Amino acid sequence: MRRILYTIGFSLVLGSSFSCISSSSEDPLAALLTSPPVVSSVTPQIGTPAQNNANATYSATEVVIKGENFGLEPIVRFNDIVASITLNTGTELYTKVPDGTFSGFITVSKSGGSCLPNSKTGVNCAGMEYFIDCYAVTNKQYGAEIELKQGQSISVEFDGNETKAFHTDTLLATRSLTIGCESVVTVRVFDRSCQATDYVLQNDPIIPFPAGVATQFYITAESATCSLVL
């Protein structure tokens, strides 16, 4: 009887030890393989792709993504554009805003994962909203941006050879900016990826703006009063 009890007790101890070893060795591996990444912060959350416009060159914004469970080979995307990762510490990913990026989402997906289009979610995917600002990188050198809303008309005073910064609201349809001014004007219009088109020394230009985008632009004029209609 004593031998039978000893055998039963040894079996229970051995089984319990094996169960603990198995559980402790499987949990981290299961988390590594099956748990989705977590994005806790994106710094900064506003930036620009590289700008190489006439008389204005700016580097792409460096971005740090903090979180956990990124895996060994994560993929960072700005919308659908893959960005290179310069450093992966396990809890931080270092990257830069790639060319062609526009406002939307920055996402991290693990190997084998995928993110839904125009979304920060998916399979083994996490992310946050990210905003492209073509003007902020200049440290607001022309002062605060003036907002021009669709269907609105405003009058702006220019003092000497002065440049002012503007932005529209998000346009519901394609519209044209009409500028009426007492002097010739130079207008720089940024597309959603911060590449500029310049309209140099124009008389009362009419400039098309695309739908679905909040367009940023500069106007340079001599001492004059200019009307802007969108």
Side-chain angles (χ1 to χ4, degrees):
M1 175 65 69
R2 185 176 300 170
R3 178 177 298 177
I4 293 172
L5 292 174
Y6 174 80
T7 302
I8 294 173
F10 180 77
S11 299
L12 290 173
V13 170
L14 180 61
S16 176
S17 300
F18 180 79
S19 176
C20 291
I21 293 172
S22 175
S23 175
S24 63
S25 63
E26 287 179 1
D27 288 350
L29 179 60
L32 180 65
L33 294 177
T34 63
S35 297
V38 175
V39 174
S40 58
S41 68
V42 173
T43 307
Q45 209 168 345
I46 297 175
T48 180
Q51 295 187 38
N52 189 16
N53 306 312
N55 304 315
T57 300
Y58 299 100
S59 300
T61 303
E62 296 182 349
V63 178
V64 180
I65 305 167
K66 293 185 179 182
E68 60 186 17
N69 202 31
F70 292 142
L72 299 178
E73 297 181 350
I75 298 175
V76 173
R77 289 184 175 88
F78 288 76
N79 298 320
D80 293 329
I81 301 176
V82 176
S84 60
I85 298 172
T86 55
L87 179 63
N88 177 3
T89 69
T91 58
E92 294 182 347
L93 300 175
Y94 289 75
T95 186
K96 290 183 178 182
V97 179
D99 292 346
T101 298
F102 53 91
S103 294
F105 298 96
I106 180 172
T107 60
V108 178
S109 58
K110 297 173 69 171
S111 180
S114 62
C115 303
L116 297 173
N118 194 33
S119 170
K120 58 183 178 181
T121 60
V123 178
N124 273 341
C125 170
M128 286 187 172
E129 287 186 294
Y130 195 83
F131 303 94
I132 297 302
D133 189 321
C134 309
Y135 181 49
V137 69
T138 71
N139 294 318
K140 307 289 185 179
Q141 63 178 332
Y142 303 126
E145 282 182 291
I146 300 170
E147 184 177 30
L148 178 63
K149 296 182 178 181
Q150 50 199 325
Q152 185 181 32
S153 174
I154 61 175
S155 181
V156 182
E157 296 283 344
F158 289 83
D159 183 14
N161 187 20
E162 186 179 14
T163 300
K164 293 181 181 290
F166 300 82
H167 71 87
T168 71
D169 56 351
T170 301
L171 302 183
L172 301 178
T174 300
R175 301 185 75 96
S176 291
L177 169 66
T178 301
I179 302 175
C181 202
E182 299 165 355
S183 77
V184 294
V185 297
T186 294
V187 185
R188 169 168 289 176
V189 180
F190 294 91
D191 69 12
R192 63 181 183 172
S193 299
C194 295
Q195 297 308 299
T197 300
D198 291 322
Y199 301 83
V200 180
L201 300 178
Q202 301 281 306
N203 286 298
D204 300 334
I206 299 175
I207 302 171
F209 282 177
V213 179
T215 297
Q216 294 177 289
F217 60 100
Y218 305 155
I219 298 177
T220 302
E222 299 296 332
S223 294
T225 301
C226 299
S227 65
L228 281 64
V229 181
L230 183 61

